[in-house]
Amino acid sequence: MLTKLKEIVQEIGQIPVLDEALACVAHRLVEVMNISCCSIYLADYQNKVFELVATDGLSADSVGKVSIGFSEGLIGFVGQKGEPINVPDAQTHWRYKHIPEVEEEAYHGFLGTPIIHQRQVLGVITIQDKQTRKFGEEEEAFLVTLAAQMALEIANAEVRGVIRVNEPRHLGKKRQSVIFGVPGSPGLNIGLGLVPEDRIQLKDYVLQRSDDISEDIAVYREAVLATKDDIQELTERIAGTVPQDVASIFQLYEQLLDANSLGNEVESKILEGWNAPSALKLVVEGYRNQFAMMSDPYMKERAIDVEDLGGRVFAYLVNDKVVPEVDVDSIILVAETVTAAMLAEYPMEKLKGIISLRGSGNSHTAIMARAMGIPAVMGLSDVPLAVFNRYPILIDGYSGTIRVNPEEAELKRFKRLIVEEQELERIIAQYADLCAITRDGEPLELLINAGLSADLDASYLALGDGIGLYRTEIPFMQKERFPSEQEQVNLYRTMLKAYPNKSVTMRTLDVGGDKPLPYLSYEEDNPFLGWRGIRLTLDHPEIFIVQVRAMLRASIGFSNLRIMLPMITSVSEVKESKRLINQAFSEVQDEWLAEGEVLKRPEIGVMIEVPATVYQIPALAEQVDFFSVGTNDLIQYLLAVDRNNPRVSSIYNNLHPAVLAVLKQIIDQANAVDTPVTLCGELGADPAAIILLLAMGYRKLSVNGHNLAKVKWVVSQIDIVEAQRILDDVLKQPDSLEIGEILNLELENMGLGGLVRAGK
Ligand code: PEP
Ligand code: MG
């Protein structure tokens, strides 16, 4: 059964028109399950009906014509209950509704299952039998499994380029598609989607109708000619150097390209109304599927040839595509994973947005985007890159929404929102040079998270009270080997020099998780629970010692270095780290001090980011000089939710009662043992959280430079006594939903409503 299931799912994934794919499912299910009838209905939320879109067994004429209300008949009942309904005789069931057009009088046994994606009913699939009988448990389980698989295919159909037949909004080339991802970095922007290196493949292409059929035919013929020339050249180049059977593949290519072969078929698809790349995709994928299903291994292999050939022609078709008339100075960078290196390739002033198919709101890509103040949307792993490439895009980093090819009215609305946002930024900017101080005069130490990009940090340095977190791993990630001690010394010295009179907290290497080193590759099933941060560097003391030596050497002549250890779980790790730091200290003292120079012993601290450390604060305090709360990881480990996984991003909740309880416990315990605490996770820049943190007693926050002014503005509107009243109220709430509502209301009352609206 599993094989059958896989086959069916694979087949539907390969058919580019959704209605045809669903018809194929209905047909295959009748065959595989040996039943009389299978039908599929899709939900139409606008009209609140389930539309019959495919059947094998009911009247074929009723497809596309019959709809059943959400609260009507057995279909509506399945949708309402959200679970399978298995009845021996549908016609005697109290919810049965007779619809003469479908001609189902002969059927009695009925099993219907909802097709659900992310808690939303997308449709219903039914099987029916002529006999009066209840379907067996196995049959029910099979249908439920298939429905779950189909849900994914249907939910992502449009963005994957699979479309409904005759759907009016698909008929014009300039259709708008709205794609929902995970918010990565707030902000609104307009730009042209750009996928680096044009890594678009035929399989990813989104089907589109033709604007000009004769133009598409001409373009296609040109692309074929160019491909033929390439193949001719290849044939000549390899003649005599490869065996004949390899050379004969190129002959096959030439034959396939002939007008009588692929050519005519592609052209007739264009005449049906598809544009050239779509027509090519439909024909090539049709052939590919036919070959792939053949049992003769030789013929099976030909599927690869057809695909390869299609890819060659496709490259000519899309590379010559005219860039639409949008401002190409405004780039929305799109990639599987947007990396720091990729960002460096584009001038900052042109980069207007980031779309990273992988990752989530707390991935380092998103943190980097926030540090740069560029809107970002993450977590669209089922969407092909081609959907975005060279199309005008509206990116909304607050809600995680992307509009590709926006309609005129939407573009206007968006431009208005951008103006409102700029107005808010203007207000915030007035606070940039001020000190962080509450309305009732309580000062706050506001530090900077640095290290994601050296040139970024420089402009913010004057506005903060020091560096609260210097992430050292980025320079390690950008190289092809570990940076040498001297290279590290130069880098760290620049940081220490920039802030001679303020503290600079350097974190030792925290690679692993979503920050792998390209030159230290290893596979782990759960990288965030694996060989990360201090776990890796304690296993490699040679890396750790070189890094600490570099920090210490860089600090000669300064007194502002603090060293911080990431991913600490136990006191023994701190002791071992301190032993190595002491060793490095003695070495630097012996080897590098000139006459009269002194090496100041740096303060040492640990990140509180593994929940275990929350229960170890007194013992840890005996070992270290300070704590820094890394809420990005603390929340992920406390709530058991991968900070990088978009599927569970809604569970990653800054305001979860457990998160608040832990944060309060940390500050209370640290105060009790007189050990200073900074909070350096992204939570420190969340306006709602700032109210609570101040009330709890946090007085040192470290945030990315781009957020400094915003945080200063928020802090300036808070009255500590008021904040404590809010905290008391919030701590009594059972769930983050209620907590969010209370805090949004309070932000409105404080005159910070603009931030709440922007955050929606
Ligand atoms: C954290 O975990 O909160 C933190 C500041 O470190 P990073 O985001 O680099 O893991
Ligand atoms: Mg961390």
Side-chain angles (χ1 to χ4, degrees):
M1 261 329 202
L2 183 64
T3 328
K4 295 280 174 224
L5 187 94
K6 277 194 179 148
E7 267 174 31
I8 296 177
V9 173
Q10 220 169 20
E11 271 173 47
I12 47 175
Q14 285 169 350
I15 301 174
V17 179
L18 185 61
D19 307 54
E20 286 171 18
L22 298 179
C24 166
V25 173
H27 177 64
R28 294 278 281 134
L29 223 57
V30 165
E31 215 176 75
V32 170
M33 294 183 80
N34 198 17
I35 45 168
S36 324
C37 175
C38 171
S39 312
I40 299 166
Y41 301 80
L42 287 187
D44 168 354
Y45 276 87
Q46 213 165 14
N47 297 309
K48 298 199 170 33
V49 292
F50 288 108
E51 183 197 340
L52 176 66
V53 290
T55 185
D56 186 333
L58 300 183
S59 156
D61 287 346
S62 58
V63 170
K65 295 193 189 112
V66 164
S67 317
I68 302 170
F70 278 175
S71 50
E72 280 184 334
L74 275 168
I75 304 301
F77 197 41
V78 174
Q80 278 172 326
K81 293 201 75 167
E83 61 178 337
I85 305 276
N86 190 350
V87 291
D89 187 0
Q91 297 186 27
T92 60
H93 192 275
W94 65 279
R95 281 294 298 260
Y96 179 72
K97 181 176 181 211
H98 183 230
I99 300 175
E101 297 92 310
V102 300
E103 297 170 10
E104 62 178 343
E105 291 74 11
Y107 300 118
H108 295 278
F110 172 96
L111 170 61
T113 264
I115 302 169
I116 299 181
H117 181 71
Q118 289 180 350
R119 306 183 187 190
Q120 191 185 33
V121 177
L122 303 182
V124 170
I125 179 164
T126 64
I127 54 176
Q128 288 171 273
D129 203 335
K130 287 189 176 149
Q131 286 174 30
T132 299
R133 71 157 178 124
K134 201 168 169 185
F135 283 95
E137 269 191 22
E138 272 208 22
E139 288 167 311
E140 191 173 317
F142 183 77
L143 199 65
V144 169
T145 317
L146 181 71
Q149 294 274 340
M150 284 171 66
L152 271 180
E153 297 290 330
I154 294 170
N156 297 316
E158 183 177 325
V159 285
R160 277 193 304 107
V162 176
I163 62 170
R164 297 290 310 278
V165 186
N166 297 335
E167 214 171 333
R169 69 173 185 276
H170 292 296
L171 295 178
K173 198 173 185 175
K174 289 263 176 223
R175 71 188 168 88
Q176 163 177 292
S177 55
V178 184
I179 302 171
F180 299 100
V182 175
S185 167
L188 307 170
N189 248 331
I190 303 175
L192 182 74
L194 262 198
V195 178
E197 299 160 34
D198 264 357
R199 269 175 279 179
I200 313 289
Q201 293 168 6
L202 184 64
K203 71 173 171 47
D204 297 326
Y205 188 75
V206 183
L207 292 185
Q208 282 172 19
R209 295 282 175 178
S210 171
D211 276 346
D212 180 341
I213 289 183
S214 42
E215 166 76 10
D216 269 302
I217 291 190
V219 164
Y220 172 68
R221 286 183 183 167
E222 260 175 52
V224 169
L225 283 181
T227 313
K228 273 188 172 168
D229 283 349
D230 287 350
I231 291 172
Q232 191 65 42
E233 204 186 302
L234 263 176
T235 316
E236 283 163 19
R237 195 156 7 116
I238 61 168
T241 61
V242 295
Q244 183 51 35
D245 53 346
V246 176
S248 64
I249 288 180
F250 293 114
Q251 284 159 12
L252 173 77
Y253 278 17
E254 287 203 62
Q255 285 160 14
L256 276 171
L257 280 174
D258 264 356
N260 292 335
S261 198
L262 278 184
N264 271 353
E265 284 193 49
V266 174
E267 290 190 15
S268 62
K269 283 279 177 217
I270 296 176
L271 290 171
E272 279 174 25
W274 298 106
N275 73 359
S278 305
L280 179 73
K281 176 179 167 110
L282 289 166
V283 172
V284 167
E285 291 191 348
Y287 271 108
R288 196 247 347 249
N289 295 347
Q290 275 180 28
F291 280 124
M293 275 183 221
M294 289 180 182
S295 44
D296 175 352
Y298 175 80
M299 293 311 284
K300 232 182 164 65
E301 282 292 302
R302 301 288 67 80
I304 300 170
D305 297 336
V306 173
E307 249 187 333
D308 179 44
L309 183 64
R312 287 166 188 269
V313 180
F314 180 74
Y316 277 108
L317 288 177
V318 289
N319 287 344
D320 288 347
K321 191 165 103 184
V322 184
V323 175
E325 274 178 37
V326 285
D327 181 6
V328 270
D329 283 342
S330 306
I331 295 169
I332 310 273
L333 182 64
V334 192
E336 286 281 326
T337 302
V338 174
T339 61
M342 244 178 229
L343 291 175
E345 283 171 29
Y346 297 89
M348 275 286 285
E349 68 278 7
K350 287 194 176 188
L351 210 52
K352 302 292 180 203
I354 290 171
I355 299 175
S356 186
L357 303 194
R358 287 176 189 274
S360 192
N362 284 289
S363 306
H364 283 88
T365 303
I367 294 177
M368 204 155 56
R370 290 200 284 271
M372 294 168 84
I374 298 175
V377 174
M378 320 279 298
L380 305 146
S381 46
D382 298 317
V383 185
L385 287 169
V387 167
F388 308 100
N389 200 32
R390 297 176 184 238
Y391 288 106
I393 287 177
L394 308 183
I395 180 168
D396 175 348
Y398 295 107
S399 65
T401 312
I402 299 160
R403 284 180 171 78
V404 183
N405 259 341
E407 283 155 5
E408 205 47 49
E410 190 56 41
L411 191 65
K412 267 199 189 142
R413 187 186 74 89
F414 212 76
K415 283 184 175 163
R416 264 199 318 274
L417 289 176
I418 291 180
V419 172
E420 274 176 34
E421 196 193 30
Q422 283 164 346
E423 175 58 18
L424 188 63
E425 268 166 18
R426 204 186 49 74
I427 297 173
I428 290 174
Q430 294 167 358
Y431 287 79
D433 298 327
L434 307 180
C435 292
I437 183 158
T438 63
R439 198 150 53 96
D440 49 347
E442 182 76 22
L444 185 79
E445 206 173 311
L446 198 54
L447 302 128
I448 299 177
N449 289 347
L452 290 175
S453 164
D455 36 328
L456 263 180
D457 304 326
S459 54
Y460 295 117
L461 290 184
L463 310 178
D465 296 319
I467 303 286
L469 163 66
Y470 178 66
R471 288 183 169 95
T472 56
E473 45 278 356
I474 303 297
F476 280 72
M477 291 164 73
Q478 285 171 339
K479 286 206 157 359
E480 283 166 9
R481 52 162 176 78
F482 285 107
S484 70
E485 186 173 308
Q486 189 57 47
E487 281 169 334
Q488 292 187 57
V489 172
N490 299 344
L491 198 69
Y492 303 152
R493 201 162 170 82
T494 320
M495 283 321 288
L496 295 169
K497 214 169 156 180
Y499 263 129
N501 303 317
K502 294 174 184 171
S503 63
V504 174
T505 306
M506 294 198 174
R507 185 172 71 181
T508 60
L509 194 61
D510 183 22
V511 288
D514 65 344
K515 290 179 291 187
L517 286 181
Y519 44 88
L520 187 71
S521 67
Y522 51 90
E523 283 282 322
E524 287 184 312
D525 284 344
N526 293 301
F528 276 112
L529 298 182
W531 206 36
R532 255 200 93 173
I534 203 74
R535 302 171 180 185
L536 186 150
T537 47
L538 283 184
D539 286 351
H540 277 287
E542 76 285 14
I543 299 171
F544 187 80
I545 289 183
V546 167
Q547 185 177 36
V548 174
R549 278 172 57 101
M551 288 176 181
L552 292 169
R553 278 178 56 194
S555 78
I556 295 174
F558 296 107
S559 54
N560 53 347
L561 171 68
R562 307 204 309 171
I563 295 180
M564 180 153 78
L565 309 169
M567 275 299 284
I568 290 290
T569 312
S570 308
V571 171
S572 58
E573 290 165 335
V574 183
K575 286 186 176 165
E576 179 60 6
S577 306
K578 280 174 62 183
R579 189 184 69 75
L580 296 173
I581 293 172
N582 282 339
Q583 184 180 325
F585 188 85
S586 309
E587 287 169 10
V588 172
Q589 223 173 12
D590 293 348
E591 295 166 27
W592 289 94
L593 286 192
E595 252 325 285
E597 273 180 335
V598 281
L599 181 61
K600 182 179 174 275
R601 204 168 269 281
E603 287 188 355
I604 294 171
V606 290
M607 299 275 298
I608 303 290
E609 54 185 346
V610 175
T613 52
V614 179
Y615 301 94
Q616 296 264 287
I617 285 181
L620 287 166
E622 284 183 19
Q623 299 296 325
V624 298
D625 304 298
F626 66 92
F627 294 127
S628 192
V629 188
T631 50
N632 306 340
D633 279 313
L634 185 61
I635 297 174
Q636 110 162 317
Y637 295 126
L638 190 66
L639 303 184
V641 52
D642 181 347
R643 67 193 259 190
N644 224 20
N645 183 344
R647 280 205 183 85
V648 287
S649 64
S650 61
I651 305 173
Y652 187 103
N653 198 327
N654 284 348
L655 300 174
H656 191 290
V659 171
L660 302 182
V662 158
L663 290 173
K664 176 133 182 13
Q665 190 173 345
I666 294 170
I667 189 80
D668 287 348
Q669 291 210 30
N671 283 345
V673 290
D674 230 359
T675 306
V677 184
T678 307
L679 185 142
C680 67
E682 295 290 298
L683 185 90
D686 173 346
I690 293 171
I691 303 175
L692 304 180
L693 292 172
L694 291 189
M696 288 178 195
Y698 285 90
R699 292 292 179 272
K700 287 169 184 247
L701 299 181
S702 189
V703 302
N704 70 55
H706 183 77
N707 278 330
L708 280 173
K710 181 181 87 178
V711 175
K712 287 179 182 180
W713 181 44
V714 173
V715 170
S716 75
Q717 304 302 309
I718 295 175
D719 179 296
I720 297 280
V721 180
E722 265 296 279
Q724 275 158 350
R725 175 191 59 77
I726 299 168
L727 177 67
D728 286 345
D729 189 9
V730 157
L731 289 179
K732 288 184 205 125
Q733 305 304 321
D735 199 86
S736 46
L737 217 69
E738 288 89 354
I739 296 175
E741 276 168 16
I742 294 175
L743 290 169
N744 281 347
L745 201 71
E746 296 291 350
L747 284 170
E748 292 272 0
N749 293 341
M750 287 175 189
L752 299 168
L755 293 172
V756 181
R757 264 193 303 281
K760 283 211 166 139

